Amino acid sequence: MPTTYEIPLSPTPKTFSIDIGNATYQLTFTYRNVTEGGWILSIADSNGNDLLNGVPLVPGVDLLAQYAYLGFGFQLWCAVDANPAAAPAFADLGVSSHVYVTVP
């Protein structure tokens, strides 16, 4: 049975380590304050080697679906409380917009 949990975040760009499934990853959340910008996710392995860079936090979709060939073995998705179709604003990440991981 799949397990889903929220990644605890706050509206501040940051890099941190997290155990997902059987591996440790470094997640980096940055905010690009430009037209059509927003929150961006990058993923590195536990040694800091880049695995995936510049994934926009688009709500309602598996953020890793198009990267299945990388074999992460889990899903990441974003949701916004007030407007499920809206991208998370800078001050909303971890407050009214959330990032979830689902591990099969």
Side-chain angles (χ1 to χ4, degrees), residues 54-75:
V55 178
L57 294 188
V58 177
V61 298
D62 176 7
L63 301 174
L64 301 179
Q66 63 183 327
Y67 308 106
Y69 65 93
L70 293 174
F72 285 109
F74 56 89
Q75 297 177 326

Side-chain angles (χ1 to χ4, degrees), residues 33-53:
N33 190 17
V34 296
T35 303
E36 301 298 322
W39 284 102
I40 305 295
L41 168 66
S42 295
I43 302 174
D45 65 17
S46 60
N47 296 316
N49 299 308
D50 292 336
L51 300 173
L52 188 58
N53 286 303

Side-chain angles (χ1 to χ4, degrees), residues 1-97:
M1 172 177 270
T3 302
T4 299
Y5 58 91
E6 182 175 357
I7 297 174
L9 297 170
S10 61
T12 306
K14 66 182 70 35
T15 298
F16 59 92
S17 293
I18 186 170
D19 293 328
I20 303 174
N22 296 325
T24 301
Y25 297 95
Q26 290 181 17
L27 302 184
T28 300
F29 290 87
T30 56
Y31 190 80
R32 295 188 181 154
N33 190 17
V34 296
T35 303
E36 301 298 322
W39 284 102
I40 305 295
L41 168 66
S42 295
I43 302 174
D45 65 17
S46 60
N47 296 316
N49 299 308
D50 292 336
L51 300 173
L52 188 58
N53 286 303
V55 178
L57 294 188
V58 177
V61 298
D62 176 7
L63 301 174
L64 301 179
Q66 63 183 327
Y67 308 106
Y69 65 93
L70 293 174
F72 285 109
F74 56 89
Q75 297 177 326
L76 281 176
W77 48 283
C78 174
V80 179
D81 294 343
N83 183 353
F90 178 77
D92 296 340
L93 189 64
V95 178
S96 60
S97 56

